[in-house]
Amino acid sequence: MEQPLYIYNTLSGKKESFQPLHPPKVGMYVCGPTVYGEPHLGHARSAITFDVLFRYLRYIGYDVRYVRNITDVGHLVNDADEGEDKIARKARLEQLEPMEVAQFYLNSYHSRMDDLNILRPSIEPQASGHIIEQIALAEEILAAGFAYVSDGSVYFDVEKYNQKHHYGILSGRNLEDMLGSTRKLDGQGDKRNQADFAIWKKAQPEHIMRWPSPWGEGFPGWHCECTAMGRKYLGSRFDIHGGGLDLLFPHHECEIAQAVAAQGSEMVSFWMHNNMITLNGQKMGKSLGNAISLEQFFKGEHQLLEKPYSPMSIRFFILQAHYRNPADFSNEALQASEKALARLTDAWENLLGLKPAEQSSIDISTLRGKCAEAMNDDLNTPVLIACLFDAARIINTLKDGDASLNEADMKELQDVYHTYFHNILGIKENNSTAANANAYAKAVDLLLSIRSQAKANKDWATSDRIRNELSAIGFEIKDTKDGVEWKLNRQ
Ligand code: ZN
């Protein structure tokens, strides 16, 4: 690789050259959804961000093991280790088995992610399938002295951990301040300290999702699953851990603390976080009445939407912002994205129809390098999209006959455009237009060559029939001194 890939590491607060621990293998873990509701834009942004990273790492030659978990247990309604499990709550309200709820929304998540052309991860472990690993992690942390058992629950001892290590290393928070603001609160229950968090939680009699453990019947704490499953599938040290910025604290901070407490060292080299999505400048949420599911976006079924928006226009909109910047959705912004995407798609279709010349009159040799440079700069997709617009302008010039490319350059342009637009940005190639357009152009050329042959043989019946029937379909055929030109008049 000529240019190294730079990735912003939340842990160090700067862009660092990405060097995998065991090249060409890359281990990547991304926090997936808690499956208790329809997937929304927040799910789309995180999935698209890490899908582009996954695609790009593979393109530059790495062999990526991409683990994205499914949270189907342990994520409580209230982040302070209180309240019902989110899935169990939904199951109670809908009178379903909790696993029925989880499966229903997992299926829905998969369908919407497929719509968005997101590649499936290599492993998609579910928290409920890794209870044994989570109990083992809790036991390790207890043995190391950084946790305590209290009334059937196991809590992480944040204060004790912080004496030896740094709780707050990722989020930049300071334990003194955290304790200062939380100690005043009442009802810390069986925790020694409000900042402590549950690794294992005792199940109350009404709690339906429960498993036996050395501490009685209970269920794992939410932060526990990612540490346990990350270590199981990627080892005690792996390259990348990603997720939404909303997970940075407490979820990822707690993941670090658990790993360091259990094994004495950090588990992750690069921590990556995608920023959030707002809607008309507002945070999205059920209570604000602006939580629009992806399905509603695709169907246009929400009072805030002027029309349906295709999965590719949503994907493209998300990629027009750098993943570390916030992105604000509005009808206006989405319609602008739709138009921009249509320009790039048209350029690709035009490119497929271009014929090479003897010589190139323009230089396209720097295009590939510029696209790579954009991606190597912490996945700068807006800059990459600008490079593709430069390419689209070149394509228009070629189409208008104001410039030419020889066969090798034409192939290079096609390859760069296809690689970055379809394979890395992951814009689904519209096969019904691009590939079919190519095939039908060849079929029309074939008919016209049969017509030329018929004319040469003075077989006017055949030549007229081909011309008349093509015209009836809508083709305009023009005989020129060099041969024959045709185009399809769009209705
Ligand atoms: Zn997680």
Short mmCIF file of all heavy atoms in Angstrom, two decimals, residues 29 31 69 222 226 241 247 251-252 255, ligand 1:
data_model
loop_
_atom_site.label_atom_id
_atom_site.label_comp_id
_atom_site.label_asym_id
_atom_site.label_seq_id
_atom_site.Cartn_x
_atom_site.Cartn_y
_atom_site.Cartn_z
N TYR A 29 -15.04 -5.23 15.68
CA TYR A 29 -16.26 -5.48 16.45
C TYR A 29 -17.11 -4.21 16.45
O TYR A 29 -16.59 -3.12 16.73
CB TYR A 29 -15.90 -5.84 17.89
CG TYR A 29 -17.08 -6.29 18.73
CD1 TYR A 29 -17.33 -7.64 18.95
CD2 TYR A 29 -17.94 -5.35 19.30
CE1 TYR A 29 -18.41 -8.05 19.71
CE2 TYR A 29 -19.04 -5.76 20.06
CZ TYR A 29 -19.26 -7.11 20.27
OH TYR A 29 -20.33 -7.52 21.02
N CYS A 31 -20.87 -2.60 17.84
CA CYS A 31 -22.08 -2.81 18.64
C CYS A 31 -23.31 -2.73 17.74
O CYS A 31 -23.56 -1.71 17.11
CB CYS A 31 -22.19 -1.77 19.76
SG CYS A 31 -20.93 -1.97 21.00
N ASN A 69 -22.70 -7.64 17.11
CA ASN A 69 -23.56 -8.39 18.04
C ASN A 69 -25.03 -7.98 17.93
O ASN A 69 -25.37 -6.92 17.40
CB ASN A 69 -23.08 -8.19 19.47
CG ASN A 69 -23.31 -6.78 19.93
OD1 ASN A 69 -22.85 -5.83 19.30
ND2 ASN A 69 -24.06 -6.61 21.00
N TRP A 222 -25.70 -5.30 30.51
CA TRP A 222 -25.60 -5.02 29.06
C TRP A 222 -24.15 -4.89 28.59
O TRP A 222 -23.79 -5.39 27.53
CB TRP A 222 -26.40 -3.74 28.76
CG TRP A 222 -26.23 -3.20 27.38
CD1 TRP A 222 -26.13 -3.93 26.22
CD2 TRP A 222 -26.13 -1.83 27.00
NE1 TRP A 222 -25.99 -3.08 25.14
CE2 TRP A 222 -26.00 -1.79 25.60
CE3 TRP A 222 -26.16 -0.62 27.71
CZ2 TRP A 222 -25.88 -0.60 24.89
CZ3 TRP A 222 -26.05 0.56 27.01
CH2 TRP A 222 -25.91 0.58 25.63
N CYS A 226 -20.54 -7.39 25.16
CA CYS A 226 -19.60 -7.00 24.11
C CYS A 226 -18.16 -7.37 24.49
O CYS A 226 -17.39 -7.79 23.63
CB CYS A 226 -19.73 -5.50 23.80
SG CYS A 226 -21.31 -5.14 23.00
N HIS A 241 -12.88 -1.39 17.36
CA HIS A 241 -14.19 -1.51 18.01
C HIS A 241 -14.97 -0.26 17.66
O HIS A 241 -14.50 0.85 17.90
CB HIS A 241 -14.03 -1.65 19.52
CG HIS A 241 -15.30 -2.04 20.23
ND1 HIS A 241 -16.51 -1.45 19.96
CD2 HIS A 241 -15.54 -2.97 21.19
CE1 HIS A 241 -17.45 -2.01 20.73
NE2 HIS A 241 -16.88 -2.94 21.48
N LEU A 247 -22.98 5.45 22.44
CA LEU A 247 -22.55 4.28 23.21
C LEU A 247 -21.22 4.53 23.94
O LEU A 247 -20.78 3.70 24.73
CB LEU A 247 -22.39 3.06 22.30
CG LEU A 247 -23.66 2.59 21.60
CD1 LEU A 247 -23.34 1.38 20.72
CD2 LEU A 247 -24.74 2.23 22.60
N HIS A 251 -21.47 2.71 27.92
CA HIS A 251 -21.26 1.35 27.39
C HIS A 251 -19.79 1.03 27.07
O HIS A 251 -19.25 0.05 27.58
CB HIS A 251 -22.15 1.16 26.17
CG HIS A 251 -22.15 -0.23 25.62
ND1 HIS A 251 -22.41 -1.34 26.41
CD2 HIS A 251 -21.91 -0.71 24.37
CE1 HIS A 251 -22.33 -2.43 25.66
NE2 HIS A 251 -22.02 -2.07 24.43
N HIS A 252 -19.16 1.84 26.24
CA HIS A 252 -17.79 1.51 25.85
C HIS A 252 -16.78 1.74 26.97
O HIS A 252 -15.78 1.02 27.09
CB HIS A 252 -17.40 2.27 24.58
CG HIS A 252 -18.18 1.81 23.38
ND1 HIS A 252 -18.34 2.57 22.24
CD2 HIS A 252 -18.84 0.65 23.15
CE1 HIS A 252 -19.08 1.89 21.37
NE2 HIS A 252 -19.40 0.73 21.90
N GLU A 255 -16.98 -1.30 28.90
CA GLU A 255 -16.34 -2.42 28.20
C GLU A 255 -14.83 -2.40 28.43
O GLU A 255 -14.22 -3.45 28.68
CB GLU A 255 -16.59 -2.31 26.69
CG GLU A 255 -17.88 -2.92 26.23
CD GLU A 255 -17.91 -3.03 24.71
OE1 GLU A 255 -16.94 -3.55 24.13
OE2 GLU A 255 -18.90 -2.58 24.12
ZN ZN B 1 -21.65 -3.10 22.69
#
